[in-house]
């Protein structure tokens, strides 16, 4: 239901009042504040402002003067684009080419202006950029700066750096700063071998320049305090930008760098980057502002660079509201909100005119950020701009204010309807007005109180329409009646009403008395509620209404009284409602009529200055009391200053004692009483014939300057002024209206402005004024055009030859006398001081010709000369660019690369003599020779800046120089460079190589150095190659190297093979490489002993004293000489570990027989081969044992009695057992017993004593012992005699002697004894 109502509302709104097409203004680019351009290119500047529909675009100077076209210099196109054409230096005009402009856009919405735009022309002027040589310690930082002249520093920037003509890519150790500096970190010695140049580019002309080549001097580190090489200064930077604070220092030890902000270490922030070039801060914020210190420190001291960084937030202005449509009489408030750094100023404009406060307009706020307009009038409509300026930045925003008759009007409303109790309904009212109105609701003339069943809502749409809804939920009978919506604003009100009936028993609410205003309409509602009813009728004085044409009774029961009359319409009115055919209900209401004042018409008679004036304002009717006041042009008139107001009960008179122009205006008489306020307005016109306030007088105008022909008139109505012109200096014959163009305009004070006086403007001018009162007035004057000194002819550019005379001519015209002054650059030429210059001036008709003569022209004359013509009316100058041509300066020659037989040269042509280089010559010679023996490379193309010189001799010293040519001639020779070619590998072999064997493993090599002319440098050493040339060798050379010691060299090859043939070659080498080898010669090492023993050595025992030894020859490769024979070495090994005598035999055969060997003895045997040099290596020890034989006699025997019938015999083993003792045999015989054969006893080989029993006491016995081996019984021992005894004394039967035993082994010392009784044994040592 409500949605449908809203859609119907939109439809009714559209039908009720179609909206006009919107009108707007806008900026295409309001940030444009600086335009710099090249004078040789010109510039096109579109107007930053625009509008829709199309706005009229105009350009002005910042002073407010609108600009005009200057042919071929300045032109404003129809689309509002400002164009400045290319121009020569002599045509420069600061008012045109270096001034502040602004552009305006104007349409029905208003008029806006751009911020001031600085338009500045830049001339092409010669300049050079330089780089100075620098010094640095190895490992430190080096800083090169590109030095740009201050006159062009604003327009020229560094685009790259070159190292030996190759562009440097910032990486590794090379860095380029934001400001164009070159940093080299960790400086090395080789950095001193290069030259460094900067390349710059002019922002507007596009010209590039290359600096001179600078060098870096690199020294070894020396202890020193830090020194700042590059620092920073205080600066302002926009927020959001990136800034680099450079800081580089030298010193040793290498200084440590620490950054501080406001005395504290830098906070942790990813936007801060410490680089070799300094501190980089990206995405700047205002809190980054502060004092920064770069502190560099080493063990010897410290230094610091300090500067203040100020981060500026760009100004941004927002003016609200952006578009305001309101009613006349409203209060308007514009708020200019600024974001950005402080210290700004604010200016307000309306329709591009600076706003000044008055009675209605005031500017408020600490920064003038609020504009207040009270009781706004139609004239206050337009475009308002708020300009904020801080230093070089200006920003603005604007708002469109539209003031109109804003009396509310109802544009959509509701209709009458019938509803049932409880059936909710919604009523809508839409109204427009300025300012947007507020809607209130009433039921039967009573304001509706919002409660649970009555709710209202209100909102304003984008087009200013106010929409209000009255929503009634659960309506009862009492909610029926006439609903009225009233729209009100500060201007007025409007209302609409319609009846809503709620079904139920009809009744009439109590009705209130009504006061009506005579002459106006009145509505009287019958406050009936309930439905249905048959009819509503009105009665007055028992008469059914209507009873005349001014009364209307509507179907809804409303009575309308039109043009209420006091006597006729006052009284009681009865509302009668027929609720049933025979039943009516009624209520009465009393109507009182108030009569508003009625002012009788009055008029102002025609008035002249000085006249008396009396005007009465009479109120002919109206209820008392009545108050009468006067206004003039909306302002209350107060008696005084010749104006008197006299008021009575129903009349007021305005009296002016002496009428003057200031009394012109609209006068309003206002009468008020309880019923209404009425007014009557009339205009007083004081007619004054025109008269001159300032009369024209003859005057001078200066050609090219602005001139004002003064003429000021007054009168009323304001006179219309027309200017006329009669050409020529004689009596004026005929005047013609002056055509008003951009160049000629009439000023508001009626004076004639000629912005740019021309010679054609000379003549008579007539200022004529008329206003229809009296006769026209006019006054003539004569304008004389004075010609300021003007340069009419001069060469823009000219050429001279150095050393020759040159004349520069300059022609001027203008009012005499004319003085012509010559300047060179910015210096006035005084021929009395500089005798090389002479100046001659002569008259030639109406012109003056001045000649500057240079005797002769010099290089320093290649500058801009200017001739200045001066007279009483002005000054002009002509710029002449003189180019002095001469042979070029010699090239700046440098060596890029030197090899053994070639070198690469690079050169830079500095000054070309102001003439195109046509070619180059290179000359070179041995340093020791004269230039008469030079070699040349001629006619090198001028497009080439490097060359290779080939076929040079290695390790030689050359002198090199160079010439350049232009069409004037040849340059002086360049600075002579001395260059040493690199070494090359020797071209000749060592000489007189000889070999001398020294030992079996060494050969001595001797030789002499290669020929001097083939050495190609300093011989650093030699390589000796040697190889074995014996059959079966691999033929590969082994190389040894030695340093050179002189012209003759000796080297001994060792660790060679013995008795082997070797081939030897020798090569010389220098720093560049190795030369050819000598021819191979051979030698054999001396003989040596064989290095290996004979092979397959075998031993065979033949008898107990003969053995045979056999073998085979050692490998021939190990003989190390000529085999002379073999030697067999053998020796015996005793049981106690002792060796027997070492014996040897020699033989040439591979077998030997050993005789005379000990029986059953262990022998060690070795075999060796020998040469002339001696015995070779022995074979491994071979052990052999001779065969067994009968043993030798026991080494000792002893016998003692042990009892009356027994004896004990003991013995020592044989000294030569000659085998393994199997047993011992003991022999016992008694010579006196008569027994022919001795008795034999046997014992084991381990027992060395034996007891023989059953012998006779007192009888002597012979005893002896023999040992037995597997070969038989051996020789007997000595015989001993013994006799048994009854008492056996103590006897030791063991043998004494020396016992030898290994260390740390157990030893047993035998001590066997016999005796009866048994003897006691006692051991002693060393006693």
């Amino acid at each position: 239901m409500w949605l449908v109502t809203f859609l119907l509302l939109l439809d009714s709104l559209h039908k009720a009042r179609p909206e006009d097409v919107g009108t707007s203004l806008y900026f295409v680019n309001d940030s444009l504040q600086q335009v710099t351009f090249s004078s040789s290119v010109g510039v096109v500047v579109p107007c930053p402002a625009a509008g829709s529909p199309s706005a009229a675009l105009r350009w002005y100077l910042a002073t407010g003067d609108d600009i005009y076209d200057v042919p071929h210099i300045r032109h404003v196109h129809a689309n509002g684009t400002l164009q400045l054409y290319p121009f020569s230096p002599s045509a420069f005009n600061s008012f045109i080419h270096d001034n502040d402009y602004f552009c305006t856009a104007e349409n029905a919405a208003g008029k806006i202006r751009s911020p001031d735009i600085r338009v500045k022309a830049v001339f092409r002027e010669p300049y050079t950029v330089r780089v100075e040589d620098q010094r640095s310690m190895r490992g430190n930082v080096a800083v090169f700066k590109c030095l740009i002249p201050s006159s062009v520093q604003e327009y020229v920037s560094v685009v790259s750096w070159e190292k030996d003509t190759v562009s440097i890519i910032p990486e590794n150790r090379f860095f380029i700063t934001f400001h164009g500096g070159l940093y080299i970190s960790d400086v090395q010695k080789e950095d001193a071998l290069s030259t460094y140049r900067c390349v710059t580019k002019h922002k507007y002309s596009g010209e590039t320049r290359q600096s001179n080549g600078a060098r870096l001097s690199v020294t070894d580190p020396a202890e020193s305090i830090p020194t700042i090489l590059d620092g920073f200064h205080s600066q302002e930077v926009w927020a959001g930008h990136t800034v680099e604070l450079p800081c580089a220092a030298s010193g040793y030890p290498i200084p440590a760098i620490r950054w501080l902000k406001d005395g504290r270490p830098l906070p942790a922030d990813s936007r801060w980057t410490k680089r070799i070039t300094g501190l980089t801060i990206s995405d700047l914020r205002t809190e980054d502002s502060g004092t920064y210190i770069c502190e560099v420190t080493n063990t010897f001291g410290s230094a610091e660079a300090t500067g203040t960084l100020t981060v500026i937030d760009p100004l941004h202005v927002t003016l609200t509201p952006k578009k305001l449509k309101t009613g006349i009489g409203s209060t308007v408030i514009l708020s200019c909100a600024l974001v950005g750094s402080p210290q700004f100023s604010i200016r307000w404009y309306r329709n591009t005119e600076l706003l000044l406060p008055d009675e209605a307009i005031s500017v408020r706020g600490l920064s003038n950020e609020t504009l207040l307009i009270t009781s706004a009038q139609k004239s206050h409509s337009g475009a308002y701009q708020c300009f904020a300026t801080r230093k070089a930045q200006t920003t603005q925003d604007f708002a469109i204010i539209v003031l109109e008759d804003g009396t509310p009007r109802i544009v959509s409303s509701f209709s009458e309807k019938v509803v049932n109790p409880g059936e909710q309904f919604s009523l809508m009212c839409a109204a427009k007005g300025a300012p947007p109105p507020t809607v209130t609701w009433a039921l039967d003339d009573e304001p509706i109180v919002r409660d649970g069943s009555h709710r209202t809502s209100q909102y304003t749409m984008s087009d200013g329409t106010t929409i209000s809804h009255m929503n009634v939920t659960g309506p009862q009978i009492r909610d029926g009646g006439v609903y009225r919506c009233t729209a009100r604003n500060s201007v007025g009100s409007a209302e609409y009403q319609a009846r809503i009936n709620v079904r139920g028993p009809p009744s009439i609410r109590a009705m209130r008395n009504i006061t009506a205003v005579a002459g106006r309409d009145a509505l009287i509602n019958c406050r009936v509620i309930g439905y249905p009813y048959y009819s509503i009728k009105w009665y007055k004085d028992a008469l059914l209404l209507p009873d005349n044409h001014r009364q209307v009774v509507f179907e809804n029961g409303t009575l309308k009284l039109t043009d209420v009359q006091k006597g006729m319409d006052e009284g009681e009115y009865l509302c009668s409602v027929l609720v049933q055919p025979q039943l009516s209900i009624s209520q009465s209401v009393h109507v009182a009529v108030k009569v508003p004042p009625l002012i009788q018409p009055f008029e102002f008679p025609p008035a002249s200055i000085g006249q008396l004036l009396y005007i009465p304002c009479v109120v002919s009717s109206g209820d008392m009391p009545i108050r009468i006041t006067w206004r003039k042009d909306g302002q209350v008139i107060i008696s005084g200053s010749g104006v008197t107001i006299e008021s009575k009960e129903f009349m007021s008179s305005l009296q002016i004692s002496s009428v003057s122009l200031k009394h012109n205006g609209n006068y309003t008489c206002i009468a008020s009483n309880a019923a209404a306020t009425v007014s009557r307005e009339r205009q007083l016109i004081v007619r004054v014939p025109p008269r001159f306030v300032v009369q024209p007088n003859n005057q001078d105008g200066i050609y090219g300057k602005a001139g004002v022909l003064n003429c000021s008139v007054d009168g009323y109505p304001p006179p219309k002024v027309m200017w006329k012109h009669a050409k020529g200096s004689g009596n004026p014959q005929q005047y013609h209206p002056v055509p008003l163009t951009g160049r000629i305009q009439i000023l508001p004070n009626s004076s004639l402005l000629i912005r740019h006086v021309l010679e054609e403007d000379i003549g008579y001018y007539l200022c004529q004024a008329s206003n229809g009162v009296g006769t026209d007035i006019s006054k003539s004057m004569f304008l004389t055009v004075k010609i300021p000194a003007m340069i009419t002819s001069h060469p823009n550019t000219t050429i001279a030859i150095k050393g020759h005379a040159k004349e520069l001519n300059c022609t001027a015209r203008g009012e005499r006398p004319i003085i012509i002054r010559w300047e060179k650059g910015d210096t006035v030429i005084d021929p009395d001081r500089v005798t090389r210059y002479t100046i001659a001036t002569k008259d030639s008709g109406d012109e003056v010709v001045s000649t500057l003569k240079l005797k002769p022209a010099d290089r320093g004359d290649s500058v801009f000369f200017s001739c200045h013509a001066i007279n009483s009316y002005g000054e002009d100058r002509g710029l002449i660019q003189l180019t002095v041509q001469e042979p070029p300066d010699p090239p700046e020659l440098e060596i890029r690369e030197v090899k053994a037989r070639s070198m690469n040269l690079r050169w830079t042509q500095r000054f070309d003599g102001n003439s195109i280089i046509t070619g180059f010559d290179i000359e070179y010679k041995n340093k020791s020779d004269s230039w008469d023996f030079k070699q040349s490379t001629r006619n090198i193309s001028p497009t080439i800046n490097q060359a290779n010189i080939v076929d040079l001799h290695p390790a030689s010293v050359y002198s090199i120089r160079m010439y350049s040519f232009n069409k004037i001639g040849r340059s002086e020779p360049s600075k002579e460079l001395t260059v040493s070619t690199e070494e090359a590998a020797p071209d000749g072999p060592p000489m007189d190589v000889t070999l001398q064997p020294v030992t079996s493993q060494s050969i001595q090599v001797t030789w002499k150095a290669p020929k001097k002319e083939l050495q190609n440098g300093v011989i650093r050493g030699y390589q000796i190659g040697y190889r074995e040339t014996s059959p079966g060798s691999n033929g590969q050379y082994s190389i040894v190297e030695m340093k050179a010691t002189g012209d003759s060299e000796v080297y001994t090859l060792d660790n060679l093979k013995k008795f082997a043939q070797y081939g030897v070659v020798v090569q010389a080498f220098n720093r560049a490489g190795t030369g050819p080898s000598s021819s191979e010669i051979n030698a054999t090492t001396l003989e040596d002993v064989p290095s290996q023993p004979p092979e397959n050595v075998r031993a065979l025992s033949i008898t107990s004293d003969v053995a045979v030894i056999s073998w085979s020859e050692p490998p021939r490769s190990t003989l190390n000489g000529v085999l002379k024979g073999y030697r067999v070495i053998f020796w015996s090994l005793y049981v106690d570990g002792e060796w027997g005598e070492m014996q040897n035999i020699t033989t040439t055969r591979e077998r030997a027989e050993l005789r005379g060997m000990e029986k059953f003895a262990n022998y060690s045997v070795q075999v060796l081969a020998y040469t002339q040099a001696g015995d070779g290596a022995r074979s491994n020890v071979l052990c052999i044992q001779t065969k067994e034989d009968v043993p030798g006699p026991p080494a000792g025997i002893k016998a003692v009695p042990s009892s009356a019938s027994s004896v004990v015999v003991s013995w020592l083993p044989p000294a030569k057992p000659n085998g393994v003792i199997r047993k011992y045999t003991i022999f016992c015989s008694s010579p006196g017993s008569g027994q022919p054969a001795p008795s034999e006893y046997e014992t084991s080989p381990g027992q060395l004593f034996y007891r023989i029993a059953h012998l006779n006491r007192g009888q002597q016995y012979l005893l002896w012992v023999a040992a037995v081996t597997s070969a038989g019984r051996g020789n007997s021992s000595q015989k001993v005699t013994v006799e048994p005894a009854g008492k056996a004394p103590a006897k030791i039967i063991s043998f004494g002697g020396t016992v030898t035993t290994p260390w740390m082994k157990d030893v047993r010392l035998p001590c066997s004894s016999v005796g009866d009784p048994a003897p006691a044994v006692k051991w002693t040592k060393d006693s």
Side-chain angles (χ1 to χ4, degrees), residues 1265-1293:
V1265 180
V1268 179
T1269 66
S1270 60
R1273 178 182 295 168
N1275 295 330
S1276 299
S1277 68
Q1278 294 178 353
K1279 295 181 179 180
V1280 294
T1281 302
V1282 67
E1283 179 179 343
K1287 288 199 183 280
K1291 295 289 187 180
I1292 295 174
I1293 62 174

Side-chain angles (χ1 to χ4, degrees), residues 1103-1125:
T1103 66
S1104 62
D1105 59 355
V1106 176
V1108 174
I1109 310 300
S1110 63
W1111 61 86
S1112 59
E1113 182 180 300
R1116 286 196 174 275
S1117 61
T1118 65
L1119 291 176
N1120 300 329
V1122 179
L1123 182 63
K1124 296 294 186 181

Side-chain angles (χ1 to χ4, degrees), residues 38 139 310 325 497 593 700 716 985:
S38 170
T310 304
K325 183 181 287 187
Q497 65 182 32
V593 177
D700 293 335
Y716 198 88

